[in-house]
Amino acid sequence: MVSVLISCSVYPSEDQEKVRGAILNIFPDALLERTDDGFKGEASTDRFRVLIRKQKILDSTRSMMFKGIRGNKIVLHLNKQVATVGKISFTEPKTILGTIMVTMECEDPEALIDKMAPRTVDGEEVR
């Protein structure tokens, strides 16, 4: 089983509902709660999986997921501004307006990566 935790800061220059909407564009089933500095919550990977295929970014997703392995967790940072239009763009953890931090926890991160973002050859998934 995969546990997906979302956290995202909201800065004074940002509209909190737009930030919330950006998160929900990528994780529509997220159960978000407001914190002192933003939002946190849990979600599934369902829409994320659809979007990475729709955007044809399996290879970059796979690479970023492997880069983000921390023990039994995978940590990803998504660009908030790009998420407002329902797209996924990976970014570095430290950006001016912050990121949507996604932490996927499971027993076997490499197996999760193979399931979420399988290898491709000439743009086609290889099983």
Side-chain angles (χ1 to χ4, degrees):
M1 187 168 125
V2 179
S3 169
V4 180
L5 303 174
I6 312 291
S7 65
C8 184
S9 295
V10 177
Y11 294 96
S13 62
E14 295 178 306
D15 179 324
Q16 82 175 26
E17 283 309 308
K18 286 183 181 177
V19 172
R20 184 176 184 281
I23 296 167
L24 294 175
N25 282 339
I26 308 299
F27 300 97
D29 64 345
L31 301 172
L32 298 174
E33 65 181 59
R34 187 76 168 101
T35 64
D36 290 340
D37 66 341
F39 292 100
K40 71 175 183 178
E42 295 182 32
S44 77
T45 60
D46 296 344
R47 177 79 173 143
F48 182 85
R49 288 183 61 178
V50 167
L51 289 173
I52 62 176
R53 283 164 175 74
K54 184 177 176 183
Q55 289 180 231
K56 298 181 181 181
I57 58 170
L58 288 175
D59 291 335
S60 60
T61 301
R62 184 175 177 83
S63 174
M64 293 305 291
M65 289 180 84
F66 272 111
K67 184 178 173 184
I69 293 177
R70 309 282 183 273
N72 67 339
K73 296 178 183 179
I74 300 170
V75 178
L76 300 171
H77 294 271
L78 307 180
N79 183 300
K80 284 194 273 189
Q81 289 73 32
V82 176
T84 63
V85 294
K87 295 196 182 246
I88 294 172
S89 177
F90 299 101
T91 189
E92 294 300 314
K94 305 246 183 214
T95 63
I96 293 173
L97 289 178
T99 67
I100 300 169
M101 187 170 88
V102 180
T103 304
M104 299 177 188
E105 186 173 357
C106 64
E107 289 183 23
D108 187 352
E110 291 185 17
L112 175 63
I113 294 169
D114 286 341
K115 182 180 175 184
M116 294 279 299
R119 291 185 182 100
T120 64
V121 173
D122 297 328
E124 297 297 319
E125 290 183 32
V126 177
R127 297 279 171 177

